Amino acid sequence: MKRYVDYYEIHRLFEEGFSKRSIAKKLGISRNRVIKYLDMSIEEFEDFSISLKTRKRKLDSYKDKILLWLREHPDMSSAQVYDWLQEKLGVKNIAENTVRNYVNDLREIYHIPKVNPSRTYLSVPELPMGQQMQVDFGQDTVKDLNGKSKRLYFIAFVLSHSRFKYVEWLDRPFRTIDVIQMHERAFKYFEGMTEEIVYDQDALLAVSENAGDLIMTSAFIKYQQARKFSVYLCRKNDPESKGKIEQVVKFVKYNFSKHRVFENLAEWNQACWKWLKRTGNYKIHHNIKKRHSEVHALEKKHLKKVVGTYIFENVVIESITRMIQKDNTIRFQGNRYSVPQGTYRKDASNIVYVNIENGLLNIRLTQTGSSLATHKIPEGRGNLIIDPSHRKRNLSKRDVLINEITEAFDDKEGIQWLIQKLLERYPRHIIDQLRVIQSTIKKYPRFIDDTLQEMKKLNMTSANDFRDIACSLSIEVQQREQVKTVINEKYRDLRAPERKEDIYLKVLYGGKRI
């Protein structure tokens, strides 16, 4: 029934002037189907519909299995179905377009809509062979054999010219030595390395994915200098400069790991490398229209040879970095830990180094510096661990502000009244309120006592009201002074006329001459 509705709607919209692309978008179908239906008369379409019900198709013998996958995972892409047919059922000699059309027909017949991810990517200029490699970190949550959720972490490499990929997984967050070892294995897999490696600057500051932080450590910098490749940090929020690796991360998540069951790390990585050989590096790329493995066979001749073995014994497990949050805490392994109040600064890097020693979490501002905070690591996740001494500074800061503000006023009783009102009305934002009062005192020192009197008269109890009244009084005085200045300027050179002494005598004697 839906086929007939689509057929009539396609012809109706086309007659009204809609383009084929816009019709496909409106009806949620492919542009090829729109073209196909427009080329059919109603008689041809009816014959075509009947033939669909009677003809045998290549994938009919796998219909039940594909339906099971689609019903269990409605967001499954046809590309993943194509990969699973090869991996799980050993299907050969079936074109990917055949699978895509078959899956689309099954979704239509059995009413299994597909949920499409909303993320979009932009193309980037093609680069010469051997020039650039892009690297990014990711993570995914999958189910294990017992049906429990398991968090996995991965690093992905892609050669920018050939799109040839390498991926490796861990079942824990990355350490510096892990990142270096995986770079070495990627170079071996690629049979060389590029002149430049691009990393995502956003990942360097990410809290949820700490792996990217590790290229900031001295151990990785030593490795980069030993291997002599240049590092390029792409601009923040700039997908154009790292679009290829963004596509790889998405491809790994939605084509390999999605709906896959985790047994152990070794089996998972083996399955991933087989997937790379079978699908990840074997598919024909939709832009370059070639297989990644075929282009890589040409590109590897232009890669720099990796000479010798890097001495990993020189790499110690160093501190990893964390970002200080605005509430003066850091996140580590699912928990939050306090640092002294005021450690976070708006315009600073706000990076600290953390490591575990004897069951305690040590937090330092530098890798070799003294300890900023030390916490006992609790069991479980989702905990907030606070050292009480880290929060004492709030009270002293408030008291200092109150004392400074009070000293600036002649009317001590009046300012105490206003501060008490602010404490009652804004208990959680009292520091912010006091800072507004403080800045107003600095800006309008002549008017603060008059402003306080106005506040009491109008029963206003907000620091913003205090600032606005002081500003108004200042403007009013400025206007009066400007008027006074104008008047003085206007009559500055005006002089009374000089009169002879006898004129006053004439007035006294009624104009008679003396």
Side-chain angles (χ1 to χ4, degrees), residues 38-232:
L38 284 173
D39 289 340
M40 290 183 182
S41 66
I42 184 60
E43 292 80 9
E44 290 172 335
F45 178 75
E46 287 178 348
D47 292 340
F48 168 72
S49 299
I50 293 170
S51 70
L52 290 179
K53 299 177 182 178
T54 57
R55 70 174 180 175
K56 184 171 178 61
R57 305 174 72 176
K58 289 183 179 180
L59 292 172
D60 280 346
S61 55
Y62 308 105
K63 175 182 174 182
D64 293 340
K65 198 66 176 177
I66 296 173
L67 275 175
L68 178 65
W69 293 341
L70 293 177
R71 283 170 173 158
E72 186 177 359
H73 313 294
D75 56 346
M76 194 174 194
S77 67
S78 59
Q80 191 173 21
V81 172
Y82 176 69
D83 183 66
W84 280 24
L85 285 170
Q86 296 178 82
E87 178 186 6
K88 299 179 183 296
L89 304 179
V91 177
K92 303 293 183 183
N93 302 321
I94 295 290
E96 189 170 356
N97 280 342
T98 301
V99 177
R100 183 181 298 109
N101 292 333
Y102 194 77
V103 168
N104 289 339
D105 288 339
L106 289 182
R107 287 188 180 279
E108 182 178 316
I109 294 169
Y110 293 94
H111 307 291
I112 308 173
K114 183 177 183 298
V115 179
N116 292 312
S118 59
R119 195 173 182 184
T120 57
Y121 298 86
L122 298 176
S123 60
V124 295
E126 294 298 329
L127 295 172
M129 292 185 179
Q131 178 176 324
Q132 186 190 90
M133 177 193 306
Q134 297 184 6
V135 182
D136 203 359
F137 302 88
Q139 58 180 281
D140 204 357
T141 302
V142 299
K143 297 293 183 182
D144 62 13
L145 294 174
N146 298 318
K148 295 182 178 179
S149 295
K150 176 71 175 177
R151 175 71 60 86
L152 298 176
Y153 306 82
F154 68 90
I155 184 172
F157 303 78
V158 63
L159 298 176
S160 294
H161 180 83
S162 63
R163 277 77 163 182
F164 198 71
K165 296 172 281 295
Y166 178 74
V167 180
E168 192 165 341
W169 295 77
L170 280 180
D171 55 1
R172 56 167 173 77
F174 286 87
R175 298 192 297 256
T176 303
I177 191 170
D178 300 320
V179 176
I180 296 174
Q181 288 174 335
M182 289 175 181
H183 274 69
E184 288 289 289
R185 287 195 281 271
F187 296 159
K188 183 178 180 181
Y189 188 82
F190 293 148
E191 300 183 49
M193 64 181 180
T194 55
E195 297 285 343
E196 176 186 72
I197 301 181
V198 175
Y199 298 91
D200 185 356
Q201 190 172 171
D202 287 340
L204 301 182
L205 305 179
V207 173
S208 60
E209 297 181 10
N210 70 288
D213 301 345
L214 300 176
I215 76 164
M216 299 177 68
T217 62
S218 60
F220 187 86
I221 293 172
K222 290 176 184 176
Y223 171 70
Q224 176 252 326
Q225 292 172 344
R227 283 302 183 208
K228 294 182 171 57
F229 57 85
S230 61
V231 170
Y232 174 75

Side-chain angles (χ1 to χ4, degrees), residues 440-457:
T440 305
I441 292 171
K442 292 178 180 178
K443 193 169 184 180
Y444 307 108
R446 293 171 51 193
F447 308 101
I448 57 175
D449 281 293
D450 291 338
T451 299
L452 185 59
Q453 293 302 316
E454 290 294 321
M455 291 282 289
K456 292 177 70 176
K457 186 189 302 181

